[in-house]
């Protein structure tokens, strides 16, 4: 009985990156269609996703910490997002120097549209697979996703 060699981490990394690249290319048209006409910076896009994931309003300094950016950069990003009605800002009830921010309804709809565009891109890519390939992918992903969040690893490849 001949054993099939196990692929090393580097080989699997390259395979996953290839698959993600395929998803990215498939999704660019969908995503750009949603964002068309909006002049949003990368910092603003990241802020929208962090705010969408937040269960509460965030102070601008909290948002800056979560994004790993300076207060000045996040302050400008929030100002631009407020101008386009993507977020709402208000003074903190206890400390007027603190500004609190959350997604507006327009911002939530925008983020939802981006998520739907991502989903459409993944679906389009998966539709290009055979039934057997989809089944194999599903079987490979199921135990990984069942574990929940994976801790970061520093284990070298092969």
């Amino acid at each position: 009985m001949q054993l099939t060699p196990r692929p090393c981490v580097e080989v699997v990394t390259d395979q996953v990156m290839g698959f993600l690249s395929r998803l990215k290319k498939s999704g660019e048209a969908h995503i750009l269609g949603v964002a068309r006409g909006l002049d949003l910076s990368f910092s603003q896009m990241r802020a929208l996703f962090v705010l969408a994931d937040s269960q509460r309003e965030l102070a601008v300094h909290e948002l800056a910490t979560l994004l790993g950016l300076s207060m000045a950069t996040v302050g400008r990003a929030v100002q631009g997002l407020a101008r386009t009605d993507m977020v709402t800002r208000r003074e903190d009830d206890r400390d007027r120097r603190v500004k609190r921010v959350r997604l507006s309804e327009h911002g939530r709809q925008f983020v939802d549209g981006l998520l739907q565009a991502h989903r459409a891109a993944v679906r389009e890519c998966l539709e290009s697979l055979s039934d057997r390939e989809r089944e194999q992918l599903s079987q490979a992903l199921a135990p990984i996703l069942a574990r929940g969040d994976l801790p970061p690893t520093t284990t070298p490849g092969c």
Side-chain angles (χ1 to χ4, degrees):
M1 177 168 127
Q2 185 178 18
L3 295 176
T4 305
R6 292 184 181 178
C8 71
V9 172
E10 285 304 312
V11 169
V12 177
T13 298
D14 289 344
Q15 291 171 330
V16 170
M17 289 303 296
F19 183 69
L20 293 176
S21 176
R22 185 174 173 185
L23 285 175
K24 180 183 166 289
K25 287 176 185 170
S26 173
E28 283 175 347
H30 294 284
I31 294 160
L32 291 175
V34 172
R36 183 180 41 244
L38 298 174
D39 190 22
L40 297 177
S41 70
F42 188 64
S43 297
Q44 289 172 320
M45 291 290 287
R46 288 179 57 210
L48 289 172
F49 280 102
V50 168
L51 290 169
D53 286 342
S54 180
Q55 301 301 312
R56 61 183 178 83
E57 287 181 314
L58 295 176
V60 173
H61 70 272
E62 292 173 311
L63 183 57
T65 299
L66 291 169
L67 293 171
L69 299 172
S70 71
M71 277 284 294
T73 299
V74 174
R76 285 189 300 274
V78 167
Q79 186 176 21
L81 291 170
R83 252 193 321 270
T84 59
D85 191 34
M86 293 286 193
V87 300
T88 60
R89 286 181 300 185
R90 68 170 185 86
E91 291 178 350
D92 185 83
D93 294 334
R94 287 174 278 174
D95 186 346
R96 293 177 53 191
R97 296 171 298 176
V98 175
K99 302 299 182 226
R100 299 224 164 252
V101 63
R102 66 182 169 89
L103 278 185
S104 66
E105 184 57 33
H106 177 63
R108 179 131 345 254
Q109 289 173 359
F110 175 73
V111 171
D112 288 348
L114 286 176
L115 294 174
Q116 289 304 313
H118 280 281
R119 182 177 176 80
V122 171
R123 183 178 181 82
E124 184 177 293
C125 185
L126 294 176
E127 286 173 343
S128 73
L129 302 178
S130 69
D131 290 344
R132 183 172 181 269
E133 290 168 327
R134 274 194 301 276
E135 178 63 28
Q136 289 173 326
L137 180 60
S138 178
Q139 288 175 356
L141 291 173
I144 296 167
L145 296 174
R147 290 196 312 248
D149 291 341
L150 298 175
T153 181
T154 56
T155 306
C158 302

